[in-house]
Amino acid sequence: LFEHTDSVTGTAGTRSKEDSTAAAGGSAAPPQLKPLYDADQLSRYDGSCSDEGLCRSIYVAVGGDIFNVTKLRGIYGPGRPRSVMAGKGITRSLVRLHMAKEQGHGGADTVLQEAVSDDCTQFTDEEQNVAAEQSRYFHANFPHVGRLVVWN
C-alpha cells in the first residue's frame, strides 16, 4: 500500500499496487514521488538572472502543488506584472484576483502585494471552488514538479 493525497480535495487515502494497475487498465508502476520544497527552497525559483545571463526557472505553488511556469517568464519573470508571485505559494493571490475580477474591482497590484500566500485555511466555499479550479488549470497546463511543505 502507498499513501496519496488528492491535491484538489485534500483527502488522504491508501491504494494498493493492484488498485493502481486496475485503474490504469493494465500493468502500471507506482506513481513517481515528487520532491518536497519548503518556502525557502521554492523562493530560489524566482526567474532571476545572473550577470552571465543565466536565468533560474520560475516555480509557483498552487494548492500545495508546485508548477514550473518558466514558459510564462513574460508574466512571472523579474520586473513583469506578476513577478511578486514567482517562487511563492500563490493560491490565495489567484483566488483574490479571480474574486476581484468577478466583482468588477481593479487593483490587481494591491491584491498581489497583500495576498501572496498558499494559505487556504480561511476560504469560504466559493473561494475553495475557485482554488480547486485554479489547481485544475495549473495541472492541465504546466509541469508539476513537487509539493510545498510547511515544517512545524
Side-chain angles (χ1 to χ4, degrees):
L1 293 178
F2 59 91
E3 294 184 20
H4 68 283
T5 302
D6 185 293
S7 62
V8 174
T9 65
T11 55
T14 58
R15 191 176 242 190
S16 70
K17 184 175 180 182
E18 293 78 23
D19 291 340
S20 297
T21 302
S27 62
Q32 295 292 320
L33 296 177
K34 301 289 184 183
L36 301 177
Y37 296 80
D38 63 22
D40 183 56
Q41 293 166 320
L42 177 59
S43 72
R44 296 176 193 148
Y45 294 89
D46 62 357
S48 59
C49 299
S50 69
D51 292 337
E52 294 81 30
L54 300 173
C55 297
R56 293 180 180 198
S57 296
I58 303 171
Y59 290 0
V60 297
V62 178
D65 291 316
I66 299 174
F67 300 94
N68 184 334
V69 296
T70 304
K71 68 182 180 181
L72 296 180
R73 185 172 295 281
I75 295 172
Y76 291 102
R80 304 310 301 166
R82 294 190 179 181
S83 63
V84 69
M85 299 170 110
K88 296 185 176 81
I90 63 169
T91 306
R92 180 168 293 283
S93 303
L94 293 174
V95 169
R96 291 268 176 99
L97 284 169
H98 178 86
M99 301 301 278
K101 271 187 188 176
E102 290 287 309
Q103 297 167 0
H105 300 300
D109 291 339
T110 302
V111 169
L112 290 177
Q113 292 299 328
E114 294 175 355
V116 176
S117 169
D118 209 46
D119 179 15
C120 307
T121 57
Q122 302 293 319
F123 277 2
T124 64
D125 288 344
E126 182 180 6
E127 290 169 328
Q128 288 175 359
N129 289 338
V130 172
E133 180 182 306
Q134 292 295 322
S135 179
R136 285 190 296 274
Y137 172 80
F138 275 79
H139 274 282
N141 292 285
F142 303 100
H144 177 219
V145 297
R147 290 281 303 159
L148 181 61
V149 297
V150 177
W151 304 110
N152 294 329

